[in-house]
Amino acid sequence: MAPKIVVEHVHKSFGALHVLRGIDLQVGEGEVVCIIGPSGSGKSTLLRCLNQLETVSDGRVTVDGVAMSDAATDLNAARRNIGMVFQGFNLFQHLTVRRNLTLAPVDLKVMSRAEADAQAGRLLARVGLADKVDAYPRQLSGGQQQRVAIARALAMRPDVMLFDEPTSALDPEMVGEVLAVIRDLAEAGMTMVIVTHEMAFARDVAHRVVFMADGCIVEQGTPAAVFTSPREPRTRDFLRRVSG
Ligand SMILES: Nc1ncnc2c1ncn2[C@@H]1O[C@H](COP(=O)(O)OP(=O)(O)O)[C@@H](O)[C@H]1O
Ligand SMILES: [Mg+2]
């Protein structure tokens, strides 16, 4: 089966700062890859290069057969296939939950308003928020807002979901409810790349864990391999620090 995401020799610089230093990564259909690593190692930049929120300085990114890094590619069309969830929930505060979920599919003529409304109800049920369809984001807790943000990303029926530290901005008691939604997506076979500091979650949900440092993939493998018997000293140091 062709991989869903192919990253080949990707470099990214911001001016003189060489942030990604030759990344090669493939993600298969239905695979869940968790990216871990110290702050500043380039995790967010790599994720943003996948949907070309950042252009790559060198190398190639292909998602679902579409050459994202090719100047001729219609990025607006290609990005509809890639859902992204950020640390901050980035919901439209002046719109109800329903409108947050129907805006893109209706405006982009992917579905009728009636279809989008029906889908919004299904998606909210899926993230455990069926009763919040008429609420405004400010009336929801952080964990609820992040679940709406996930539902909103799903509303475009993406084949790939990207998460950048989806629980980092949450109070501790709300982390679990968001991780549970992501775990459900994994079990449903969604292809996902998740940058996370939640090591227990990564260990539990990932098919593969990728450890990044200084703009490189230092080590990758099954969660058991990376967490239990890391080969690289930098991985061991990092895991020792995050486990306190
Ligand atoms: N838009 C930008 N302009 C300049 N430097 C950036 C930009 N985005 C990220 N960086 C720098 O790139 C490096 C990697 O950042 P980032 O990808 O956010 O790391 P991580 O997500 O692993 O913490 C950092 O030194 C950061 O300051
Ligand atoms: Mg980051």
Side-chain angles (χ1 to χ4, degrees):
M1 197 179 337
K4 273 282 188 195
I5 301 173
V6 182
V7 177
E8 297 167 281
H9 319 307
V10 160
H11 289 260
K12 175 65 182 178
S13 296
F14 294 106
L17 188 64
H18 193 177
V19 173
L20 296 180
R21 297 167 172 258
I23 300 284
D24 289 285
L25 181 69
Q26 296 202 352
V27 181
E29 183 162 7
E31 191 178 13
V32 179
V33 171
C34 284
I35 301 179
I36 61 171
S39 181
S41 56
K43 305 181 299 296
S44 295
T45 302
L46 174 58
L47 215 58
R48 293 165 63 81
C49 283
L50 297 182
N51 60 6
Q52 292 291 291
L53 287 178
E54 298 289 357
T55 57
V56 302
S57 305
D58 198 11
R60 284 170 58 85
V61 174
T62 310
V63 179
D64 226 0
V66 177
M68 299 297 293
S69 50
D70 187 332
T73 295
D74 178 354
L75 282 180
N76 286 329
R79 283 191 190 122
R80 289 173 202 170
N81 192 37
I82 307 173
M84 186 150 184
V85 176
F86 302 89
Q87 182 176 337
F89 326 120
N90 302 342
L91 295 174
F92 302 112
Q93 293 295 325
H94 62 294
L95 298 178
T96 62
V97 166
R98 183 199 318 274
R99 283 294 286 148
N100 267 277
L101 267 62
T102 59
L103 186 67
V106 172
D107 279 11
L108 298 171
K109 301 190 179 359
V110 174
M111 55 190 82
S112 69
R113 180 169 298 278
E115 285 168 332
D117 280 343
Q119 174 181 258
R122 288 195 300 275
L123 287 172
L124 288 171
R126 189 167 174 188
V127 301
L129 293 171
D131 55 332
K132 301 296 186 191
V133 66
D134 294 315
Y136 284 86
R138 65 173 178 279
Q139 298 170 314
L140 305 179
S141 71
Q144 290 171 333
Q145 288 191 53
Q146 190 62 308
R147 285 187 278 153
V148 172
I150 294 171
R152 184 179 60 175
L154 293 172
M156 289 300 289
R157 301 183 178 165
D159 279 329
V160 171
M161 287 282 284
L162 310 177
F163 293 87
D164 193 356
E165 298 192 22
T167 61
S168 296
L170 297 176
D171 292 332
E173 72 270 22
M174 293 171 188
V175 168
E177 67 197 54
V178 171
L179 295 182
V181 168
I182 301 173
R183 186 177 290 115
D184 282 348
L185 285 176
E187 282 165 7
M190 180 66 80
T191 307
M192 298 197 282
V193 181
I194 307 168
V195 175
T196 185
H197 290 306
E198 298 285 338
M199 296 301 145
F201 174 72
R203 191 175 185 133
D204 179 42
V205 80
H207 299 115
R208 184 150 46 106
V209 173
V210 169
F211 172 68
M212 279 182 73
D214 301 326
C216 298
I217 293 177
V218 173
E219 178 163 1
Q220 58 179 307
T222 63
V226 173
F227 287 120
T228 313
S229 42
R231 282 175 282 114
E232 298 292 330
R234 276 190 290 178
T235 317
R236 277 185 237 135
D237 284 350
F238 173 75
L239 291 174
R240 199 175 302 126
R241 273 186 283 122
V242 295
S243 67

